[in-house]
Amino acid sequence: MMKKIGYLFLILCFISCESELIETTPINEQQQLQKASTTSTTDKGENVVIRFTDGLSATEKDAIRAEYGVISYEACSCGDKNLESWDLETIHEGATIEERVTSMEQDPEMEGADFEFDIAISSQVPTGVVASQIHNQSVLQKIKTEKASVTIGVLDTGIDPTYFGFEQAFLHNSSFDAETCGNELFGWNFVENNNLPFDDNGHGTIVSYLAYQQLENTGINFEIVPAKAFNAEGKGSLFQVGCGLSYLINKKVNIINMSFGWTETSSTIIENYIKEVERDILMVTSAGNTGLDNDLVAHFPSSYTTANILAVTAVNNEIPPNLESPISNYGFVSVDIGVKGIGLPFYIEPETAPISITGSSYSSAKAAGFSALKYQEGMSMSVFYHKILQDKIQSSGLYQIKYASYLDL
């Protein structure tokens, strides 16, 4: 009976629910929030992403914003309500933005503060992957009517649930959740701030399918929760990525796939989120596609050193496989394992010739799906990690990565 009620709720919500509006609160009525651009690859200048500590009242938050010279702010439309993007006065009470960010980093009422910056998807994305129009009824058929035993969160460009390869119901059913974002159905869109995380790029659909493919017809009761943090051009902001990551963490997923990355500038906020669930959620991350040594030029989030990071690089189709120059990133410390990700066949439509896709994004996605096969409720992170890596195969050509091995997926 509960399954039928949950499914009925989804149908009614798809028909009648309006998309939730972005939570935007201008402090100065003359200046509305300017959303972070997703077309630039540089720092945002006067925009800072901050995270309050838990337990602060609305009045206390207002006072903190005033103290730091906030013109306007944006809070996550879903996910961590303590995470905000601030537009700051250039000079406030004689202090520059850089000086105030330094103060924020030491502020006991904040968990972290980072300058805003853009993050881009780097793996190849073919055209024509996603449908130009997605019909609601087709989506409903892909939402599960029961709870799953293992959940993968995919932080990416969204998903096209109508892609022909998704033959069985696999999307998370938000009606089973104790807390949701009001009209939430199966995931969230942090680009347009609504309940329809549909893919307008293609990358998220490919990534989700490669994870799905590892699990279909295995008897494993799995599901995928899409969090859309990247736009049609494959670009997102640190704030959008933080909101999406916190959303998936709040969902208590078992695995989060992050097939993206950035170099040099770390993020205290993203690193803290990952640390906080070090014992609970496996973070499967792509190592990058620039052929660089990640030990020398850090690639985040794959270069974070927490015990729940599995950093995956793309290897070629040779027997045994090797790193592919100048694509495969490597590192004795910062890259864990290889998975084939060079020239993978991908079918845009049934009964047509496949196209070729390349990138560690796709290696990571396959590893995330494979990890779900190994998951068992209640296992420790160290045991989970061991179960994944016990199937690794040594390859002399992979001596530049941590385990000098690959997963044959």
Side-chain angles (χ1 to χ4, degrees):
M1 178 61 72
M2 288 303 296
K3 293 179 183 178
K4 293 180 178 178
I5 291 173
Y7 198 65
L8 179 60
F9 166 80
L10 286 169
I11 294 173
L12 292 174
C13 197
F14 236 118
I15 294 172
S16 62
C17 288
E18 296 181 356
S19 295
E20 278 206 352
L21 297 176
I22 188 170
E23 182 181 340
T24 301
T25 308
I27 292 179
N28 183 332
E29 293 181 358
Q30 302 299 317
Q31 294 179 283
Q32 298 291 325
L33 172 74
Q34 296 180 348
K35 282 190 66 179
S37 166
T38 55
T39 58
S40 171
T41 57
T42 58
D43 289 347
K44 298 300 183 181
E46 298 178 0
N47 287 88
V48 175
V49 180
I50 69 94
R51 185 184 177 199
F52 290 116
T53 56
D54 280 333
L56 295 177
S57 67
T59 300
E60 289 171 323
K61 289 181 179 180
D62 283 340
I64 295 169
R65 295 186 195 105
E67 176 187 350
Y68 285 108
V70 178
I71 298 169
S72 57
Y73 72 92
E74 178 181 354
C76 292
S77 56
C78 193
D80 188 355
K81 294 301 183 182
N82 288 321
L83 187 66
E84 295 184 353
S85 176
W86 286 0
D87 184 12
L88 297 174
E89 296 175 356
T90 305
I91 300 293
H92 179 73
E93 296 182 353
T96 65
I97 292 175
E98 289 78 8
E99 290 170 335
R100 278 173 282 157
V101 170
T102 299
S103 296
M104 293 173 199
E105 292 170 345
Q106 309 301 321
D107 193 326
E109 294 179 306
M110 291 189 184
E111 295 285 351
D114 296 316
F115 280 102
E116 177 69 286
F117 58 88
D118 281 322
I119 302 168
I121 300 293
S122 63
S123 291
Q124 299 173 354
V125 182
T127 58
V129 175
V130 295
S132 58
Q133 186 175 4
I134 297 177
H135 299 286
N136 292 346
Q137 188 59 42
S138 300
V139 176
L140 283 172
Q141 296 170 1
K142 301 301 167 60
I143 299 175
K144 294 181 71 70
T145 57
E146 60 181 347
K147 291 185 177 181
S149 58
V150 61
T151 302
I152 303 173
V154 176
L155 185 56
D156 215 285
T157 63
I159 193 168
D160 178 0
T162 67
Y163 172 67
F164 81 92
F166 295 127
E167 295 183 348
Q168 67 187 72
F170 71 100
L171 289 174
H172 172 74
N173 188 330
S174 296
S175 68
F176 291 123
D177 297 340
E179 296 181 8
T180 67
C181 294
N183 59 354
E184 185 182 333
L185 299 167
F186 58 88
W188 199 258
N189 182 336
F190 292 94
V191 176
E192 299 177 350
N193 295 294
N194 61 41
N195 63 344
L196 301 177
F198 291 152
D199 190 2
D200 48 8
N201 173 274
H203 188 269
T205 298
I206 297 174
V207 164
S208 297
Y209 177 67
L210 291 174
Y212 167 99
Q213 198 173 35
Q214 294 292 318
L215 292 156
E216 67 175 341
N217 303 320
T218 62
I220 301 293
N221 183 12
F222 72 96
E223 65 182 8
I224 291 176
V225 187
K228 178 179 174 66
F230 298 87
N231 66 11
E233 297 178 348
K235 296 178 181 178
S237 67
L238 175 65
F239 175 64
Q240 290 166 330
V241 169
C243 289
L245 179 59
S246 71
Y247 166 80
L248 293 173
I249 289 172
N250 288 349
K251 288 292 177 190
K252 294 180 171 59
V253 303
N254 309 113
I255 300 158
I256 295 177
N257 185 78
M258 292 186 280
S259 288
F260 58 86
W262 67 93
T263 58
E264 298 178 1
T265 303
S266 182
S267 164
T268 300
I269 287 171
I270 299 300
E271 185 175 16
N272 284 346
Y273 278 133
I274 294 172
K275 281 182 178 179
E276 288 167 11
V277 293
E278 189 170 15
R279 297 182 178 182
D280 305 307
I281 301 177
L282 178 70
M283 305 286 177
V284 185
T285 60
S286 58
N289 307 308
T290 54
L292 296 177
D293 184 344
N294 289 356
D295 291 351
L296 299 178
V297 181
H299 176 277
F300 302 105
S302 64
S303 289
Y304 290 129
T305 58
T306 52
N308 57 339
I309 288 281
L310 180 66
V312 185
T313 194
V315 298
N316 61 28
N317 297 310
E318 296 179 12
I319 302 175
N322 296 306
L323 298 174
E324 182 79 5
S325 178
I327 296 172
S328 306
N329 285 25
Y330 56 93
F332 292 114
V333 175
S334 56
V335 178
D336 296 308
I337 200 79
V339 172
K340 291 177 183 178
I342 308 296
L344 298 177
F346 181 80
Y347 293 84
I348 294 179
E349 295 180 356
E351 300 179 1
T352 60
I355 51 100
S356 176
I357 58 174
T358 289
S360 61
S361 285
Y362 308 131
S363 302
S364 174
K366 292 199 290 182
F370 177 75
S371 298
L373 282 172
K374 300 295 183 176
Y375 175 78
Q376 293 178 353
E377 186 176 1
M379 65 168 40
S380 68
M381 184 58 62
S382 60
V383 171
F384 189 16
Y385 212 92
H386 174 73
K387 284 179 67 68
I388 296 166
L389 294 180
Q390 69 183 4
D391 288 328
K392 69 183 186 296
I393 302 171
Q394 294 282 324
S395 173
S396 59
L398 302 180
Y399 67 92
Q400 291 172 295
I401 65 175
K402 188 172 184 177
Y403 294 104
S405 302
Y406 68 100
L407 296 172
D408 190 16
L409 308 178

